[in-house]
Amino acid sequence: MAAAVRGCGGVWRREWQCRVGGLSRRGQRTLGCNARGGAVPAGKSGLAPWVPVVGLEVHAQISSNSKLFSGSQVQFAAPPNSLVSFFDASLPGTLPVLNRRCVEAAVMTGLALNCSINKKSLFDRKHYFYADLPAGYQITQQRVPIAVNGTLSYSLYKDNKMSQMVTKTVRIKQIQLEQDSGKSLHDDTRSQTLVDLNRAGVGLMEVVMEPDMCCGEEAAAAVRELQLILQTLGSSQAVMAEGQLRVDANVSVHHRGEPYGVRTEVKNINSIRFLAKAVDYEIERQIEELENGGTILNETRAFDSKLGCTVPMRDKEGKQDYRFMPEPNLPPLILYDAKSLPANINHQQVVNIDWIHERLPDLPSVRRAKLVELYGILPEHSFTLVNEDGLTEFFENVVNQTQMKPKKVIGWILKDLLSYLKQHSLTVKESPVSSVLLADLLNLLEKKEISSTAAKQVLAELWKGEGKSPLEIVKEKKLELMQDQKELEQICQEVIDGQENEVMAIKAGNLKVLNKLIGLVQRKTQGRSNPVVVKQLLEKKLSL
Amino acid sequence: QEVTVEVLEHLEHLALVDFRDAEGVERLRKAIRFADLLQEVNTEGVEPMDSVLEDRCLYLREDDVTEGNCTKELLKNAREKVEEYFVAPPGNIPLLKLEEQETFLQGS
């Protein structure tokens, strides 16, 4: 059974055309974004530079027990059509009843994105025909959505260097509540479509962003930050792989100073990584098309992750006419704040914006700022900590159990621990090295019982997860630092005596050669010497 | 305003109705003329009403699971089913152009 490409109404599948290998054969164009935010890829033979414009529509599934307008359960994997009520199946005589939790989720999200919350919002019907939309329309908020005019701030590494971060903002046009559709599985062999309505009616928040972005990297960073915000709020679990976060990208290019070009919509993007790829590919495709004298069609395209390109998804049938009309079965949604709260009202029937605002958790940006202030780490470090699920907690646990300064600890967390985890595709929760073990190890290092080289060796051992403590490993492998100063001095002298040429070079002024001598002492002591102490001893002996 | 073939095709596609023949199209024209009478009403400065429920309270339901688990009942109405899935025709089948439809030609 072939999985369907999720499409909207009036669609039929058509042969996809895609040049295998795409544009990469012609040579890569570097798509960096300049300081003013416009990408300026080198045009062919001196043509004016192109300015790409990227806007996103994000659908986030609301994290709730039951659906937006009915009491059936929201759950990812379940037997087909087992989580479906009569209303979800659009049986006659059923009516929508709004779920309070969904309203709260949308208000929380709107507040977190600095939106104005509309105290009165309306529901509408958006009509199109598709097998997974049994009513023939979707209940959404087209005229007056629940939240408007917000901003989303995100950061990315400047010029591809991992050292400097730059903050950008994208305007949020609106957030609206709407129903999700069911799922269709296309069975081409038997010329039929199988429909599962478990997802039909699940609450969605559609976050519409203004076209303020200019490349795949910006789009990916913005979505990542939105994902973190949603997960922090708990309004959506926003796991893209489970379809809880879906992104459609609108892409166009134009010359600076000229009107915006024709845009295409790119769908079927299943991960943040693919989002960046899809957007960049589409920008390249449009530029090449236009530079070859072609035109861009206002069409919907699907991203093919295997081929790494976008392909046309619908046939040219003109713009969709959704015949929007007010939802006659739902009165306007009224929200209150502390001032407008009526005196005698059932609290269960009231959504109080101020009450929700007071209870918002620390957003990722606030958490990062607090980490920087509290621990003296760099902003880039705080990004990585907050980005990895569980890493902040791990870091703070280690800091609380060791005398080592947080500024030093962060190096071990980000360089050693995280790289190990990434190499083995493990999450922080699955780490064979616990925060307790790492703290023990760092304590040994801090107390100068082992060198940092030795510490790295111990960490490598700990990764095997054999249950040994750092101290046990140190003893086993005899990695303790030499405590006998006299013995160390003797070895230093031996090395000096055995390396006449190097000594001469050092005394002549080439101090870098000293490192070679330090290395030799390290080898002789089998890593059991502190390079800082060794350097001091050597310098003293050579009267430097 | 004329009701052109393009408009008819568009309507048939959007609403899956079948105007069938010239008589059906004439009925449509009459319906439009009838509805156009609404334009004669002066609505300047009047907020449009879009629901008779506009001053009712929108009831908010608690987020509890109270429905579902009725697969068998739901599938009772299905003409065809495959392992608890509803069966539908493949995708959206494009409609024939109006001129190609036999019924349309018969009426004219």
Side-chain angles (χ1 to χ4, degrees):
Chain A
M1 238 175 282
V5 167
R6 156 111 183 88
C8 285
V11 174
W12 60 91
R13 283 153 74 85
R14 132 199 176 133
E15 230 174 46
W16 287 357
Q17 294 132 16
C18 179
R19 277 179 293 157
V20 174
L23 295 162
S24 56
R25 293 236 182 99
R26 299 273 199 96
Q28 288 289 320
R29 247 186 261 268
T30 32
L31 265 182
C33 292
N34 66 16
R36 259 167 288 135
V40 282
K44 209 164 66 170
S45 60
L47 288 173
W50 293 99
V51 178
V53 177
V54 180
L56 301 176
E57 280 161 26
V58 182
H59 290 88
Q61 232 180 46
I62 297 175
S63 175
S64 61
N65 299 327
S66 57
K67 296 183 180 178
L68 183 59
F69 292 118
S70 66
S72 38
Q73 193 181 5
V74 175
Q75 197 180 283
F76 182 50
N81 292 307
S82 61
L83 309 175
V84 185
S85 67
F86 286 6
F87 170 77
D88 303 329
S90 198
L91 298 186
T94 56
L95 291 170
V97 186
L98 183 55
N99 179 339
R100 191 208 147 85
R101 157 72 188 157
C102 293
V103 178
E104 290 171 346
V107 173
M108 266 199 288
T109 307
L111 291 171
L113 294 176
N114 308 306
C115 295
S116 308
I117 307 293
N118 283 329
K119 292 223 192 71
K120 177 176 169 187
S121 60
L122 306 170
F123 289 100
D124 304 294
R125 290 185 182 181
K126 176 179 181 182
H127 300 82
Y128 61 91
F129 288 112
Y130 208 65
D132 61 23
L133 195 70
Y137 61 85
Q138 175 201 37
I139 301 180
T140 176
Q141 294 186 300
Q142 193 250 356
R143 289 166 296 156
V144 187
I146 193 167
V148 291
N149 296 337
T151 50
L152 169 65
S153 293
Y154 61 96
S155 296
L156 39 155
Y157 292 107
K158 194 177 178 182
D159 303 330
N160 274 331
K161 293 179 212 145
M162 301 300 260
S163 51
Q164 255 186 311
M165 302 211 84
V166 60
T167 306
K168 302 211 169 187
T169 46
V170 54
R171 289 167 297 161
I172 305 288
K173 179 160 186 258
Q174 64 189 57
I175 300 176
Q176 66 211 43
L177 281 168
E178 56 183 38
Q179 294 173 300
D180 207 345
S181 68
K183 274 215 187 111
S184 339
L185 301 175
H186 294 296
D187 183 1
D188 292 324
T189 49
R190 264 167 242 122
S191 208
Q192 59 188 17
T193 301
L194 302 183
V195 178
D196 172 15
L197 297 177
N198 282 346
R199 202 184 64 182
V202 172
L204 294 177
M205 293 177 287
E206 177 170 346
V207 180
V208 183
M209 299 184 199
E210 299 282 13
D212 295 341
M213 291 164 286
C214 70
C215 61
E217 199 191 349
E218 289 193 351
V223 170
R224 178 68 187 126
E225 185 68 6
L226 176 62
Q227 197 180 35
L228 284 174
I229 291 174
L230 292 171
Q231 288 167 347
T232 302
L233 293 172
S235 55
S236 171
Q237 285 161 342
V239 176
M240 271 180 100
E242 287 184 14
Q244 292 166 337
L245 191 72
R246 285 169 247 155
V247 183
D248 298 331
N250 294 304
V251 180
S252 74
V253 296
H254 66 282
H255 289 302
R256 200 177 287 283
E258 288 180 12
Y260 279 15
V262 175
R263 67 174 156 90
T264 60
E265 189 186 11
V266 183
K267 290 171 112 72
N268 196 40
I269 300 165
N270 299 325
S271 75
I272 293 186
R273 209 167 57 94
F274 287 152
L275 171 60
K277 276 193 176 179
V279 167
D280 285 337
Y281 175 87
E282 184 58 18
I283 291 171
E284 288 258 359
R285 185 192 74 86
Q286 289 193 12
I287 289 174
E288 201 170 303
E289 185 68 35
L290 292 170
E291 286 189 343
N292 286 336
T295 53
I296 305 299
L297 296 167
N298 175 214
E299 59 175 350
T300 303
R301 299 176 72 88
F303 180 65
D304 185 320
S305 48
K306 285 200 205 98
L307 297 172
C309 64
T310 62
V311 292
M313 199 169 134
R314 295 182 213 213
D315 216 314
K316 284 168 268 186
E317 40 165 308
K319 259 182 93 186
Q320 278 291 317
D321 183 347
Y322 294 113
R323 295 178 299 153
F324 285 99
M325 68 174 248
E327 170 53 62
N329 295 322
L330 293 170
L333 172 61
I334 309 291
L335 304 174
Y336 300 94
D337 56 23
K339 266 192 248 162
S340 64
L341 203 56
N344 307 326
I345 194 160
N346 178 3
H347 282 272
Q348 195 273 331
Q349 287 300 312
V350 162
V351 173
N352 184 339
I353 301 168
D354 289 336
W355 190 90
I356 294 174
H357 205 167
E358 284 159 26
R359 282 156 186 76
L360 286 179
D362 275 349
L363 294 182
S365 52
V366 175
R367 279 161 60 205
R368 285 188 288 252
K370 282 190 175 173
L371 287 170
V372 169
E373 208 199 302
L374 193 55
Y375 299 113
I377 57 178
L378 294 173
E380 297 87 84
H381 297 160
S382 70
F383 264 92
T384 316
L385 281 182
V386 170
N387 227 15
E388 286 302 318
D389 196 23
L391 193 58
T392 307
E393 211 191 318
F394 193 100
F395 168 68
E396 294 193 299
N397 284 341
V398 173
V399 166
N400 290 336
Q401 293 171 83
T402 178
Q403 298 100 331
M404 184 182 276
K405 288 216 162 72
K407 275 194 199 180
K408 271 180 91 180
V409 174
I410 194 74
W412 285 91
I413 297 281
L414 297 181
K415 269 181 266 168
D416 300 274
L417 180 85
L418 193 60
S419 59
Y420 262 119
L421 288 173
K422 292 291 173 196
Q423 258 172 40
H424 297 94
S425 295
L426 294 170
T427 63
V428 174
K429 298 201 170 90
E430 295 166 338
S431 171
V433 179
S434 66
S435 57
V436 176
L437 284 179
L438 185 58
D440 280 346
L441 174 57
L442 296 181
N443 280 337
L444 291 176
L445 183 56
E446 195 65 7
K447 283 188 275 182
K448 298 202 199 312
E449 287 183 36
I450 53 174
S451 68
S452 62
T453 341
K456 289 201 201 279
Q457 277 179 272
V458 175
L459 186 58
E461 268 302 306
L462 287 172
W463 270 101
K464 296 183 188 166
E466 286 165 4
K468 291 184 221 156
S469 74
L471 197 57
E472 284 170 353
I473 296 172
V474 165
K475 290 223 154 74
E476 237 181 62
K477 292 187 176 274
K478 297 205 178 64
L479 293 170
E480 317 91 330
L481 282 176
M482 285 176 70
Q483 301 300 335
D484 191 339
Q485 186 81 338
K486 281 219 173 93
E487 200 188 333
L488 189 58
E489 280 194 36
Q490 212 184 340
I491 293 176
C492 286
Q493 193 60 54
E494 281 171 22
V495 166
I496 288 175
D497 292 341
Q499 305 287 98
E500 272 183 41
N501 292 337
E502 282 77 7
V503 169
M504 276 206 295
I506 293 170
K507 292 212 168 163
N510 189 353
L511 294 172
K512 280 198 185 158
V513 183
L514 190 62
N515 290 332
K516 182 173 178 189
L517 294 186
I518 297 173
L520 287 170
V521 173
Q522 289 269 57
R523 249 201 286 153
K524 273 203 172 214
T525 58
Q526 289 157 321
R528 295 176 57 205
S529 53
N530 186 337
V532 174
V533 172
V534 169
K535 187 174 185 209
Q536 285 170 349
L537 284 175
L538 287 172
E539 283 173 345
K540 199 171 83 178
K541 282 181 184 286
L542 294 171
S543 319
L544 291 174
Chain B
Q1 230 186 354
E2 255 302 300
V3 176
T4 60
V5 176
E6 286 80 30
V7 169
L8 286 177
E9 272 177 13
H10 191 55
L11 284 174
E12 288 208 345
H13 188 97
L14 281 183
L16 291 186
V17 296
D18 184 356
F19 291 107
R20 204 154 292 265
D21 54 18
E23 195 188 315
V25 176
E26 185 52 31
R27 206 174 301 129
L28 173 68
R29 289 202 178 97
K30 286 203 176 125
I32 295 172
R33 257 178 271 143
F34 180 68
D36 275 343
L37 292 173
L38 288 171
Q39 309 282 18
E40 297 183 17
V41 182
N42 184 359
T43 55
E44 194 152 326
V46 180
E47 257 314 291
M49 169 198 262
D50 44 51
S51 169
V52 292
L53 304 169
E54 63 179 10
D55 31 357
R56 295 280 197 97
C57 217
L58 176 53
Y59 178 79
L60 294 173
R61 186 174 54 83
E62 276 302 308
D63 185 25
D64 297 319
V65 176
T66 54
E67 301 175 278
N69 248 316
C70 48
T71 319
K72 250 198 192 156
E73 262 186 296
L74 290 174
L75 289 172
K76 263 194 211 163
N77 279 342
R79 191 174 59 153
E80 266 185 79
K81 45 183 172 261
V82 168
E83 281 176 37
E84 300 185 324
Y85 287 94
F86 292 100
V87 178
N92 280 9
I93 302 163
L95 296 173
L96 290 173
K97 293 234 178 267
L98 263 180
E99 284 96 11
E100 295 165 13
Q101 288 175 32
E102 284 227 349
T103 49
F104 191 77
L105 294 170
Q106 266 167 23
S108 52

